[in-house]
Amino acid sequence: MTASALPTPYRWTLLTSILLSLTGCLGSASKSSQEDTLPSWVSSPPQDSRHLYGVGSAPRIENLALAFTQAEQSGNVHIAQQLRTKVSQINTQDTQVRSMQGNEQVSKIETAYTQVTTSPIELEQAINEQRFAGRNYVYALQSIDRSRMVSKLKSAIQDTDDKIRSLASSLSTQQNQRPADQDWQTYMQLIPYFAQRQSYQEELSLYSTQRTMAGEADADIQNTEQQLSLALSTYGFDASGTDQADTIASALSHFGLTPKRGSLFTLNSRTSQHHETQGGRFYVFEDGTLELFGPTGTRLASWTVSARGIAKNLTSAQEKATQNWSKQAVEAMFTWLTRLD
């Protein structure tokens, strides 16, 4: 039977059913299209001078609240990745030192600031700005108030500068004058403050939108830093009397300290080695004490250190053990010298 052969009422009923079916399909397609249409901020996060934005996503699961929590965490990671923008900083490099005719040859001496562990400032809490639930994924727009972070870092730098000024006021000599021997403790205490300042300044550069150098030091702070650099190069550490003169000199340079004969500070070491073999490799163990003597010849402190070196060749293993021992010993000394208490 064809449609034209159907009675009129039946024809209208069939036509109405077809139209309703088509309308239902179109409505379902429209709903699916709307659900999959992402808001513009998903692909193009907002940009302004005050905030940093990050977009995160997560698979849509039955527990929608948990899915959004995961998306927000992903958005926070996106913000953190933006903050990893490389800024100029001084990286301490390994420096080889060799004793040549009684004079230590130093290829490069870097700043001691990079060797100090600094306190991180509390980061601004990220907040959720927008959420969107798609058919398969959920999305979250996160933001951090850049201006509040800048204000917090500037305040931290100012507090650090005040501490630097307080210490500098007790120095016996002025800029470009030879540092006084009795001021060595003050200069060593200045190192961690300048390290902290540098850390804050580098972090401020990530948040600040200023075209000029963010957190640039005032003239008096710059002068004190120059005095500190002069003191570190003037005082020096004499490792010539140790059994590890070359490796200790290299370790000193690695930590931004100057190795040279006839220095304000003198080092002495007492160590011993023993070795074992296992699996075709030599394991050399070096144990001993590093002593630090001050301007008057009195012993200031000592550190007992254990280290090891592993190699297929005994001589190589011994050299590695000595290098590791020297670095650990000098690191312990450097930590003691730059303590703030």
Side-chain angles (χ1 to χ4, degrees):
M1 179 183 297
T2 64
S4 59
L6 291 173
T8 301
Y10 288 101
R11 286 203 299 264
W12 279 110
T13 300
L14 180 60
L15 181 60
T16 301
S17 298
I18 293 172
L19 288 173
L20 288 174
S21 176
L22 290 173
T23 303
C25 291
L26 290 173
S28 177
S30 175
K31 181 178 180 181
S32 176
S33 176
Q34 290 176 0
E35 194 174 59
D36 289 338
T37 301
L38 300 179
S40 60
W41 53 261
V42 173
S43 57
S44 300
Q47 293 185 356
D48 63 57
S49 60
R50 178 164 181 169
H51 297 87
L52 280 173
Y53 294 94
V55 176
S57 62
R60 180 165 181 164
I61 56 179
E62 186 175 349
N63 188 338
L64 198 59
L66 178 59
F68 275 122
T69 298
Q70 294 173 346
E72 290 173 9
Q73 291 173 348
S74 176
N76 294 344
V77 171
H78 185 202
I79 292 176
Q81 289 172 342
Q82 296 176 63
L83 291 176
R84 288 175 186 155
T85 303
K86 291 183 179 179
V87 294
S88 59
Q89 58 182 358
I90 300 175
N91 294 316
T92 301
Q93 301 175 354
D94 291 333
T95 306
Q96 294 298 318
V97 181
R98 288 286 178 262
S99 297
M100 302 292 290
Q101 297 179 350
N103 296 318
E104 284 78 3
Q105 303 296 314
V106 185
S107 59
K108 191 173 185 181
I109 298 177
E110 295 290 356
T111 176
Y113 308 156
T114 56
Q115 298 296 338
V116 177
T117 301
T118 55
S119 302
I121 194 167
E122 183 180 354
L123 296 179
E124 191 68 20
Q125 183 67 37
I127 63 172
N128 176 254
E129 298 282 356
Q130 297 282 346
R131 287 179 172 183
F132 177 77
R135 182 168 55 181
N136 298 316
Y137 293 90
V138 299
Y139 303 87
L141 176 65
Q142 301 294 104
S143 73
I144 280 183
D145 191 330
R146 186 200 302 263
S147 62
R148 289 182 61 179
M149 199 66 219
V150 167
S151 177
K152 187 180 295 185
L153 284 163
K154 285 184 175 179
S155 178
I157 289 175
Q158 184 60 52
D159 290 343
T160 304
D161 286 350
D162 289 342
K163 293 173 182 176
I164 290 174
R165 291 187 178 98
S166 178
L167 278 172
S169 65
S170 65
L171 293 174
S172 306
T173 57
Q174 302 299 316
Q175 185 184 10
N176 297 325
Q177 293 180 334
R178 187 189 185 284
D181 292 353
Q182 66 268 25
D183 288 339
W184 70 266
Q185 288 178 300
T186 300
Y187 282 115
M188 293 301 169
Q189 288 179 340
L190 280 169
I191 292 175
Y193 284 120
F194 275 106
Q196 186 69 75
R197 192 187 198 287
Q198 178 174 297
S199 176
Y200 286 153
Q201 187 175 7
E202 290 173 356
E203 196 167 349
L204 179 59
S205 298
L206 298 178
Y207 289 94
S208 177
T209 57
Q210 295 179 2
R211 293 186 178 181
T212 57
M213 181 64 175
E216 186 175 3
D218 293 338
D220 61 330
I221 299 298
Q222 294 182 33
N223 291 340
T224 301
E225 186 171 14
Q226 291 177 8
Q227 286 180 267
L228 173 58
S229 297
L230 179 61
L232 290 177
S233 61
T234 301
Y235 289 160
F237 293 78
D238 189 347
S240 60
T242 65
D243 295 332
Q244 307 86 358
D246 290 344
T247 55
I248 288 180
S250 292
L252 287 167
S253 185
H254 177 84
F255 282 90
L257 304 175
T258 304
K260 64 180 181 180
R261 290 180 179 271
S263 299
L264 184 70
F265 298 101
T266 304
L267 297 175
N268 185 37
S269 66
R270 298 191 304 273
T271 62
S272 61
Q273 284 188 350
H274 68 276
H275 71 271
E276 301 173 359
T277 57
Q278 183 178 347
R281 291 179 177 271
F282 290 91
Y283 291 74
V284 176
F285 301 88
E286 184 158 350
D287 305 285
T289 301
L290 178 71
E291 296 177 310
L292 174 66
F293 295 86
T296 61
T298 58
R299 192 178 74 167
L300 299 176
S302 64
W303 303 269
T304 300
V305 177
S306 298
R308 72 174 184 178
I310 306 173
K312 293 182 178 181
N313 178 276
L314 177 58
T315 301
S316 297
Q318 291 172 332
E319 290 177 352
K320 289 181 180 180
T322 299
Q323 290 172 359
N324 293 335
W325 185 90
S326 299
K327 186 172 182 180
Q328 291 180 37
V330 172
E331 181 178 8
M333 183 190 73
F334 180 82
T335 301
W336 180 83
L337 285 170
T338 57
R339 72 197 189 284
L340 293 176
D341 54 348

